[in-house]
Each structure stands twice: as C-alpha cells, then as structure tokens.
Amino acid sequence: MSILEVNNLKKKFDNTEILKGISFDMEKGETLSILGSSGSGKTTLLRCLNFLETPDEGTITVNGNCLFDAKNGPLRDGDLRQKRLHFGMVFQQFNLFPQYTALENVILAPKLQSNGSNMDEIVKNGKSLLEKMGLADRMNNYPHQLSGGQQQRVAIARALALRPDILCFDEPTSALDPELTGEVLKVIRELATQHTTMIIVTHEIGFAKDVSDKIIFMDDGVIAEQGTPAQVISNPTNERTRQFLANYIG
Amino acid sequence: MFTTVTMSLFEGFLGTLKLFSLTLLFSLPLGLIISFGSMSKTSIVRWPIRFIIWVVRGTPLMLQLLIIFYGPGIFFGTNLWGSGDRGRFTAALVAFVFNYACYFSEIFRGGIQSIPTGQYEAAAVLGLTKTQTFFRIVLVQVVKRIVPPISNEVITLVKDTSLARVIAFYEIIWEGERFIKSAGIIWPLFYTGVYYLIFSGLLTLLFGYIEKKLDYFK
Ligand SMILES: Nc1ncnc2c1ncn2[C@@H]1O[C@H](COP(=O)(O)OP(=O)(O)OP(=O)(O)O)[C@@H](O)[C@H]1O
Ligand SMILES: [Mg+2]
C-alpha cells in the first residue's frame, strides 16, 4: 500500500486555477522531488498537503486512510490539527520561533501534545535530533544567534520531532547563501539514506537527481512528467521538461 | 515655605497619579479589545470601530474632556457625572480611558499585524491550537514590538493628565496655581515640573528595564 496517494487535486485562487488536477503516489521510505519553473504550483501543492490551503477538488490519502476529500467540505479545526500531523513541513524561510532556543523550538510541539508528561523522553529525543543535524553545541542558542544553514537544520529537527509520516521541504536552501546550502543538503541526504519519506521541492537539480527515488516535473499546474531521475532528468520526453532542464544545466 | 509648597504639591500630585494609574489600568485592556474589533473580518464591526478611533485620535483630548463633562447636561439635560469632585474625576477618567484606549489599540493592532504569517503557519503545521499559537508564539513577540511605542504613550499620559484642569479636576498644576492667588508667588507652579520630570524619569527607567529583559531574542 502506498504511504501517500494524491488524487485529482485542484486549487483556485481568485478564479485562476493554480493546481489543475494533480495525481501521484509514493511509497514509504521514498524520496520524491518536485521540480518546475516558478509559478507552476509547487508551493501550493505542498501547502495543500499540509492543509495550509484547502483544495477545491480531489482527495489526499495516507496509509490507506482518506484524510481529505473535497466533497466533504473543509476540515474542522480539531480534525485539521490531527490530520496535518501526518505531514511535516520545512519552510523556505525556516520560520523558527525567535523567542525560543534551538532545543525549545524542537520540543515545543511534542511538549504541548503530551501535556507535559514524558518530558524526559521528549527532551532526550529533541537533543538527539539536533545532534543528528550536527547542532550538538548549538542547542541553547536563539535563532538570531544561528546562521541560516543552522536555522534550517533546527527547523528540520523541529519537523522530525513530531515523527510525521511524510516530511515536506519547500525549497529548503533557496533562502541560504550558496556556501551554506551544502550543510543543509547533507542532512537531507542523510535522511534519505535512512529512508525518511520525503517530498522535496527544489531547484537543485543535481541534488534531486542524486537523492530522489522519484521525480515529478510540474508545469503550469499539472504534472508534465514523472518517473525515476534517470527518466525525467536524464531522458526527458516532455518538451517543457527539456526546456526547463536546459535552462538550469545550461 | 519651600517645605509647605513641596507638601501641598505632593497632594496635588496624588490626584495626577490617581488619574494616571486608573487610566492605564482600564485603557490597556480596553485598547486590546478595540484592536481586535478594528481587525475584525466582519466589516460591520471593523468600520464603526475604525471610525471611532479616527474621531478620537483626530480631535484634541481637551475638547473630548469638555464634551464628555458638559455634553450630557447640555444635550440631554441630565447630570450624568453627579456633582462635585467625584463627578469631575469620573468624567475625566472616562475621557482619558477612551482616548488612550484608542491610541493603544492602534499600537496593539500594529504589533499583532507585524508578526509574519510564517509564524502562524509554522505553529499550524506543528499542530498548535489557536490559543496555543497566541499565547506561546505570538504574544511575547507582540509585547517586544509594542514596548517602545507604549512607553511613549505612557509618558505622554503623565503630562496629559494636566489637561483635566479644564474641567477643574484637582491635580498638581491646579495646586501650583493656587499659590499665585493665595500667596502671590509663581515659583510653585514652575516647581511642579520637577514632579513631572522625576515621575517620567522613573517610568523611562522602568520601560528601559522591560526592553532589556526582552532583548534575549530578535
Ligand atoms: N494565496 C494566493 N493568492 C493568490 N494567488 C496565489 C496565492 N498563492 C499562490 N498564488 C499564485 O499561484 C501560482 C503558483 O504559486 P506557487 O507559489 O505554488 O508556485 P511555485 O511553483 O512554488 O513557484 P516558485 O518556484 O516561485 O516558488 C502563482 O502564480 C502565484 O501567484
Ligand atoms: Mg514556491
């Protein structure tokens, strides 16, 4: 059974259709990368999966449970909070909470969910996640004391702390100085080798080709092409994919 | 003479202090409520409230004091405020609370609206409830941003209390002026400035301390 099935997802903003029927699925442990030119709807798709936007049509199914069906109308608050926990989200702009240290950022949500029980366990898990991100000596720093690359790694640890089924990344390195992208890509690569299920929107074509089990190329709100990196990146059949790759690889 | 003046000015200052502290006590929470109203998604709530804020901020506080104190008697023929010092005090307090609540509400609105949507979205994807998001994420960030403008308003309020003289509310300037008539000396009036300076100096220190306390994050 697929861990995620997305079927015929559609989303309009002010009568402009941004997602025009997106369908794909992925297996547990896979890394899926989404490529596509600016404005093609990649962010909108991730935001729909995390229920930051409500799709107008379509279904989202995780582990065989239908989480969302547009026919049933929008989700209600409590329901929404439970369901979006299947997904984790790493934002382009990190969005760390400035008043909390790295460790506090990571343990805040698990702490609130457990109502303060299991604190030892939660703190231990938070520390070990930050260690995995190479931030053992930065746990008690506030976000403004960290570099962009370090902040983004804290954000990844924060998302992992809730053990989501699927971790989504929206251009995790595009807000970073070039010399800092490497450290973030490295931890994502490590997560991939440990079979964390991930959806990564990225413009780092070489990286996507390396780490992904599957690539989706989006164009103007539809999936123009999908397949293995060998198919989509090395031998694209779609004309738009070719143009896009030509621009990037030059 | 100097001691006598100092003591009686102090009595006047207690009137100033009473108006000052009660105004803060009521106008800060009222300001928060008004700010929620001015950000309401329902335009039937939002526009009247913004209109009132515009009127209150667009007219002199002295005029508002006069209208609130004399208005009910002139327009409705009732003495809403009762007679004597109590009535003057209540009317002054109502005018000040209303005026300052409108100013504070704009500061709160600015503070709340300056929190990036990314903060709300990050909280949402982590499964925080709306209440948790407000109290755990947004509130401290708002407080940090509004401390400097609030501090300005509070120090303005110290001096604005003297406007209440216009409806013969007893406070320090009133006390200082009394010496002109009773003893023919003007320096007690000028001397009131020292009280204002010391009090606003203390407030400046207090707000500086709060700002420093919130300096641990950016
Ligand atoms: N909240 C919104 N309201 C109106 N239009 C929106 C909204 N969000 C996105 N759009 C529009 O939807 C289109 C797709 O946006 P989206 O952010 O999903 O693209 P993207 O593929 O992520 O692009 P990029 O590579 O630049 O990040 C754009 O034309 C954008 O202007
Ligand atoms: Mg985007």
PDB file of all heavy atoms in Angstrom, chain A residues 42-44 92 170-171 201, ligand 2:
ATOM      1  N   LYS A  42       4.184  24.457  -7.261  1.00  0.00           N
ATOM      2  CA  LYS A  42       4.862  23.523  -6.346  1.00  0.00           C
ATOM      3  C   LYS A  42       4.563  23.845  -4.881  1.00  0.00           C
ATOM      4  O   LYS A  42       4.201  22.962  -4.096  1.00  0.00           O
ATOM      5  CB  LYS A  42       6.391  23.566  -6.583  1.00  0.00           C
ATOM      6  CG  LYS A  42       6.797  23.376  -8.033  1.00  0.00           C
ATOM      7  CD  LYS A  42       8.299  23.450  -8.219  1.00  0.00           C
ATOM      8  CE  LYS A  42       8.928  24.807  -7.894  1.00  0.00           C
ATOM      9  NZ  LYS A  42       8.511  25.911  -8.783  1.00  0.00           N
ATOM     10  N   THR A  43       4.733  25.106  -4.534  1.00  0.00           N
ATOM     11  CA  THR A  43       4.454  25.504  -3.151  1.00  0.00           C
ATOM     12  C   THR A  43       2.991  25.271  -2.804  1.00  0.00           C
ATOM     13  O   THR A  43       2.663  24.746  -1.733  1.00  0.00           O
ATOM     14  CB  THR A  43       4.805  26.990  -2.940  1.00  0.00           C
ATOM     15  OG1 THR A  43       6.212  27.155  -3.154  1.00  0.00           O
ATOM     16  CG2 THR A  43       4.471  27.460  -1.540  1.00  0.00           C
ATOM     17  N   THR A  44       2.115  25.638  -3.726  1.00  0.00           N
ATOM     18  CA  THR A  44       0.681  25.445  -3.500  1.00  0.00           C
ATOM     19  C   THR A  44       0.365  23.976  -3.225  1.00  0.00           C
ATOM     20  O   THR A  44      -0.418  23.655  -2.327  1.00  0.00           O
ATOM     21  CB  THR A  44      -0.121  25.960  -4.705  1.00  0.00           C
ATOM     22  OG1 THR A  44       0.280  27.305  -4.969  1.00  0.00           O
ATOM     23  CG2 THR A  44      -1.603  25.920  -4.444  1.00  0.00           C
ATOM     24  N   GLN A  92      10.823  27.521   3.338  1.00  0.00           N
ATOM     25  CA  GLN A  92      11.942  28.228   2.717  1.00  0.00           C
ATOM     26  C   GLN A  92      12.579  29.215   3.695  1.00  0.00           C
ATOM     27  O   GLN A  92      13.793  29.340   3.777  1.00  0.00           O
ATOM     28  CB  GLN A  92      11.375  28.976   1.512  1.00  0.00           C
ATOM     29  CG  GLN A  92      12.380  29.470   0.535  1.00  0.00           C
ATOM     30  CD  GLN A  92      11.695  30.007  -0.727  1.00  0.00           C
ATOM     31  OE1 GLN A  92      10.541  29.672  -1.007  1.00  0.00           O
ATOM     32  NE2 GLN A  92      12.394  30.814  -1.478  1.00  0.00           N
ATOM     33  N   ASP A 170       9.976  22.874   1.278  1.00  0.00           N
ATOM     34  CA  ASP A 170       9.742  23.830   0.196  1.00  0.00           C
ATOM     35  C   ASP A 170      11.005  24.651  -0.048  1.00  0.00           C
ATOM     36  O   ASP A 170      11.297  25.577   0.706  1.00  0.00           O
ATOM     37  CB  ASP A 170       8.569  24.754   0.541  1.00  0.00           C
ATOM     38  CG  ASP A 170       8.155  25.603  -0.664  1.00  0.00           C
ATOM     39  OD1 ASP A 170       8.661  25.342  -1.775  1.00  0.00           O
ATOM     40  OD2 ASP A 170       7.324  26.511  -0.483  1.00  0.00           O
ATOM     41  N   GLU A 171      11.725  24.292  -1.064  1.00  0.00           N
ATOM     42  CA  GLU A 171      12.989  24.964  -1.403  1.00  0.00           C
ATOM     43  C   GLU A 171      13.812  25.267  -0.152  1.00  0.00           C
ATOM     44  O   GLU A 171      14.066  26.428   0.179  1.00  0.00           O
ATOM     45  CB  GLU A 171      12.712  26.266  -2.170  1.00  0.00           C
ATOM     46  CG  GLU A 171      11.894  26.017  -3.429  1.00  0.00           C
ATOM     47  CD  GLU A 171      11.935  27.211  -4.369  1.00  0.00           C
ATOM     48  OE1 GLU A 171      12.972  27.900  -4.398  1.00  0.00           O
ATOM     49  OE2 GLU A 171      10.940  27.438  -5.070  1.00  0.00           O
ATOM     50  N   VAL A 201      10.586  20.037  -2.686  1.00  0.00           N
ATOM     51  CA  VAL A 201      10.519  20.985  -3.804  1.00  0.00           C
ATOM     52  C   VAL A 201      11.872  21.679  -3.861  1.00  0.00           C
ATOM     53  O   VAL A 201      12.340  22.220  -2.856  1.00  0.00           O
ATOM     54  CB  VAL A 201       9.405  22.023  -3.580  1.00  0.00           C
ATOM     55  CG1 VAL A 201       9.510  23.150  -4.597  1.00  0.00           C
ATOM     56  CG2 VAL A 201       8.036  21.368  -3.654  1.00  0.00           C
TER      57      VAL A 201
HETATM   58 MG    MG C   2       7.391  28.024  -4.279  1.00  0.00          MG
END
